[in-house]
Amino acid sequence: MKKSILLIIFSLFLACKSAPPTISENISAPEVGLITENAMVVSARAEASQIASDIMKQGGNAFDAMVATEMALAVSYPFAGSLGGGGFMVYRKANGDIGSLDFREKAPLAASKDMYLDESGNAISEKSQLGSLAIGVPGTVAGIFSVHEKLGSLPIETILAPVIALAKKGYVVSEGQAKSFNSHQGLFGQVNKTSILYTKSFKTGDTVKNLALAKTLQKLADNGRSEYYGGKTGEILVDFIQDNGGIITLEDLKSYETVWRKPITFNYKNLRVISMAPPSSGGVALAQILKTVEKFPLQEFGHNSLKTIQVITEAERRAYADRSYYLGDPDFYDVPVEKLTSDSYLDVRMENFSFDRATPSNSLKHGAIPGYESLETTHYSIVDQFGNAIAVTSTLNGAYGSKLYVEELGFFLNNEMDDFSAKPGVPNMFGLIGAEANSIAPEKRMLSSMTPTIVEKDGKFWMSVGTPGGATIITSVLQTILNVSEFGMNMQEAVNAPRFHHQWLPDEIRFEPNSFDKEMLQTLEEKGYNINEKDSPILGKVDAILKLPNGNLEGGADRRGDDTAIGF
Ligand code: DON
């Protein structure tokens, strides 16, 4: 038993460390992104960007393209795309209307606060990370139908047809994917009772056809949302989960609802930022950090300079300390959003900041934890030819989620339950800790860091941006916005630029390796900052679109992955 737990921990460690190239190996990334006149999709896979761009060329809008992208990623990017996950969409319509959709997973009705604790009250992280008990009630399928119903324009059959064709014809495995599939074989075998579509050794260029998923998608096209939330597909799913020891019931699926939420909005100089509200911490933390750093002349300090890094780090440290305590599902817990993002509160938070010395994290809150981040979420940005813009981040949480794969339906199931705080002060897989605000309760949504964001400049659409990266999502989005607004980079340069991250605990600054000035890092150390250049080969995988002054769109597709911009 002990051995298998060790094996799981080691495999999770390997999964997270597995091999995306370092940013310095990625210098072949282009310096200017794709430029188009009308419309663009930037996503984690060329197949998804292509299908969604074609949908818009056929006359579809960004919301139709959202449905196509989300489903095409479920086919071609099983690492994070799936019919078994959840996410958030932020949008800005051409007429300036804004909104957001919460299709985050929920805790099952039978979930309980202490479900991941052993008899001695210790948290057993494998239980919330691997296999059937880790699964939150999926929201993705409800999400695409909510978007389609309210904002879509083409028939769902038309949107899903090319996705179904892709699942039948197959997608071509990239080098990164082959490595990733192969490095997860052990966990796939351990979690699943039988072999699955992904139980074999892969090489670059292999074709993966997913006929089971094609069939499931066809049923969704024919029968709509209820096919999954209570219909035949739902029954198969629930039987499968229960057969594997899980607690999700048909009742859970039937009672799942998406929520249209008011986004977080705030100003940063002449920009208006529109981002995701709780149950994501993304918008609140982004507001806290940007509003704090706004008071400093970052441009004068310079990009990735000592002072810029100090200011951003100290703002991040304080925001993440607040995140761990105050943030959770607003349907269950009163999150003090106004207070946390008010200028007066933020000023007080920075009162003890000094350029001379780091503020130790344990002087803000207690705790010492391990932590790491990885990229098992996916973000895409879309702008259509009508001027609608969307930013969507969706996830299975860990790589391939719980690793449990529904062979009959063709997709992996999430392990989103690990985003709850299993026990106050005990870190989750991203090293994040939480408190009562994010404790487990039936039907509650687990706190997220996903930060799909749209930025307006002078009242007009300017940028759509987001990324995977667990706890590092917020800080990667932040730096991408600043890279353009403060440091004058174009969209692709802003995405390419090396990134750093601080999340209060552990009390360290993560840097992408070999990409920052050594002397500056040494000065930071002398000032009391802990430097970690080895544990994050890459930070984030940002996909963004910028509206240029002449009205064209520039894509920023992150070459840290297979991400691709396509448009017309
Ligand atoms: O919602 C969240 O914050 C996490 N489930 C996101 C996970 C993620 O980004 C994994 N990839 N890095």
Side-chain angles (χ1 to χ4, degrees):
M1 175 67 184
K2 225 174 177 174
K3 211 167 139 201
S4 76
I5 289 177
L6 277 178
L7 181 74
I8 292 170
I9 292 172
F10 183 59
S11 316
L12 277 172
F13 177 79
L14 278 185
C16 294
K17 302 289 153 194
S18 71
T22 66
I23 186 59
S24 54
E25 286 168 325
N26 254 316
I27 41 177
S28 62
E31 278 168 15
V32 183
L34 175 75
I35 300 207
T36 64
E37 280 178 24
N38 301 295
M40 188 181 290
V41 187
V42 190
S43 83
R45 292 287 300 184
E47 296 89 334
S49 297
Q50 187 68 58
I51 286 177
S53 173
D54 291 347
I55 287 287
M56 293 194 288
K57 225 178 203 164
Q58 264 177 265
N61 63 21
F63 304 101
D64 299 320
M66 179 273 179
V67 174
T69 311
E70 189 67 42
M71 293 297 99
L73 289 171
V75 174
S76 59
Y77 195 59
F79 190 63
S82 176
L83 272 56
F88 301 110
M89 175 183 82
V90 172
Y91 69 85
R92 181 188 185 280
K93 285 168 55 175
N95 66 5
D97 287 353
I98 60 167
S100 69
L101 182 69
D102 170 353
F103 55 101
R104 180 74 161 164
E105 299 90 332
K106 290 178 112 173
L109 286 156
S112 60
K113 189 168 173 166
D114 297 338
M115 64 188 280
Y116 300 120
L117 304 187
D118 64 16
E119 310 82 59
S120 329
N122 298 317
I124 319 164
S125 54
E126 310 82 69
K127 260 183 143 178
S128 62
Q129 292 176 8
L130 273 186
S132 59
L133 283 178
I135 308 167
V137 182
T140 298
V141 172
I144 58 156
F145 279 103
S146 292
V147 170
H148 184 253
E149 193 186 349
K150 180 166 162 156
L151 299 158
S153 67
L154 296 180
I156 194 85
E157 300 82 356
T158 308
I159 302 171
L160 291 181
V163 182
I164 295 169
L166 174 67
K168 287 183 179 160
K169 177 167 152 267
Y171 66 93
V172 178
V173 172
S174 71
E175 189 185 337
Q177 273 184 318
K179 275 191 200 152
S180 168
F181 291 149
N182 294 338
S183 71
H184 285 85
Q185 291 303 318
L187 283 173
F188 293 160
Q190 195 179 312
V191 171
N192 291 280
K193 289 185 183 173
T194 55
S195 66
I196 62 169
L197 180 65
Y198 291 98
T199 320
K200 70 182 189 99
S201 171
F202 284 89
K203 45 183 200 326
T204 313
D206 282 352
T207 296
V208 179
K209 296 181 187 182
N210 191 337
L211 301 181
L213 185 53
K215 221 164 109 189
T216 306
L217 289 167
Q218 188 60 55
K219 284 193 199 151
L220 291 180
D222 295 342
N223 305 328
R225 178 195 196 279
S226 61
E227 171 67 29
Y228 191 101
Y229 292 93
K232 188 76 191 131
T233 294
E235 282 172 18
I236 295 172
L237 178 59
V238 164
D239 285 350
F240 173 82
I241 293 173
Q242 291 181 359
D243 187 46
N244 280 279
I247 56 173
I248 292 179
T249 62
L250 210 53
E251 206 42 49
D252 279 309
L253 289 182
K254 284 185 180 160
S255 58
Y256 183 88
E257 293 292 346
T258 59
V259 188
W260 293 98
R261 296 193 190 272
K262 196 166 160 252
I264 298 279
T265 56
F266 62 95
N267 292 331
Y268 174 84
K269 299 188 175 172
N270 62 341
L271 305 179
R272 178 178 177 236
V273 181
I274 304 152
S275 191
M276 195 63 215
S280 179
S281 59
V284 171
L286 190 63
Q288 288 188 301
I289 301 168
L290 273 175
K291 286 173 69 143
T292 302
V293 305
E294 185 178 14
K295 313 223 163 83
F296 296 85
L298 294 188
Q299 207 169 357
E300 193 186 305
F301 293 164
H303 176 246
N304 283 350
S305 67
L306 177 69
K307 282 189 162 176
T308 294
I309 290 176
Q310 279 189 277
V311 167
I312 293 178
T313 295
E314 294 299 347
E316 289 175 354
R317 186 198 308 277
R318 287 157 176 81
Y320 277 82
D322 283 347
R323 177 196 192 280
S324 79
Y325 189 75
Y326 291 113
L327 294 207
D329 182 347
D331 297 341
F332 284 72
Y333 188 89
D334 197 9
V335 182
V337 174
E338 298 293 321
K339 165 103 178 140
L340 289 172
T341 55
S342 74
D343 288 313
S344 51
Y345 173 76
L346 294 170
D347 285 347
V348 172
R349 286 291 273 169
M350 281 297 269
E351 262 171 5
N352 58 351
F353 164 69
S354 152
F355 280 112
D356 297 339
R357 230 29 240 160
T359 313
S361 285
N362 63 11
S363 71
L364 288 165
K365 280 270 180 205
H366 294 288
I369 53 169
Y372 58 80
E373 72 301 308
S374 47
L375 300 160
E376 300 95 7
T377 294
T378 190
H379 175 85
Y380 49 94
S381 293
I382 302 179
V383 176
D384 68 18
Q385 64 277 31
F386 311 111
N388 302 304
I390 66 175
V392 181
T393 314
S394 62
T395 189
L396 286 169
N397 197 25
Y400 311 97
S402 61
K403 321 291 184 271
L404 198 56
Y405 185 84
V406 202
E407 185 73 2
E408 192 176 345
L409 301 176
F411 55 88
F412 284 101
L413 289 160
N414 70 80
N415 60 348
E416 219 70 60
M417 290 297 282
D418 191 64
D419 272 347
F420 278 118
S421 173
K423 184 180 173 183
V426 173
N428 71 4
M429 73 161 91
F430 300 106
L432 293 165
I433 62 179
E436 187 53 33
N438 191 31
S439 63
I440 306 171
E443 296 202 90
K444 189 173 173 183
R445 287 177 155 96
M446 50 300 276
L447 183 61
S448 174
S449 302
M450 294 192 283
T451 315
T453 298
I454 287 175
V455 187
E456 291 177 354
K457 186 176 199 169
D458 303 323
K460 300 201 179 85
F461 167 76
W462 185 62
M463 185 191 289
S464 169
V465 58
T467 180
T472 72
I473 290 175
I474 300 163
T475 58
S476 293
V477 167
L478 168 93
Q479 288 168 80
T480 308
I481 296 172
L482 290 176
N483 285 349
V484 182
S485 71
E486 289 293 332
F487 304 116
M489 297 183 198
N490 67 35
M491 192 70 262
Q492 188 64 50
E493 286 169 335
V495 167
N496 294 348
R499 297 191 269 262
F500 63 95
H501 170 76
H502 195 293
Q503 63 179 49
W504 174 49
L505 293 172
D507 188 352
E508 63 181 20
I509 313 179
R510 295 277 174 109
F511 290 93
E512 288 183 316
N514 308 319
S515 310
F516 288 77
D517 183 70
K518 294 281 172 217
E519 256 175 54
M520 184 207 48
L521 294 182
Q522 202 179 331
T523 312
L524 279 169
E525 255 180 333
E526 285 159 14
K527 288 177 181 288
Y529 292 93
N530 302 310
I531 307 300
N532 182 344
E533 255 199 302
K534 58 178 203 310
D535 288 333
S536 298
I538 62 171
L539 286 170
K541 200 158 69 72
V542 176
D543 283 343
I545 300 174
L546 182 71
K547 181 123 181 171
L548 302 175
N550 67 1
N552 285 348
L553 302 169
E554 186 198 347
D558 207 324
R559 302 309 300 268
R560 292 165 176 86
D562 297 329
D563 303 47
T564 309
I566 296 180
F568 55 91

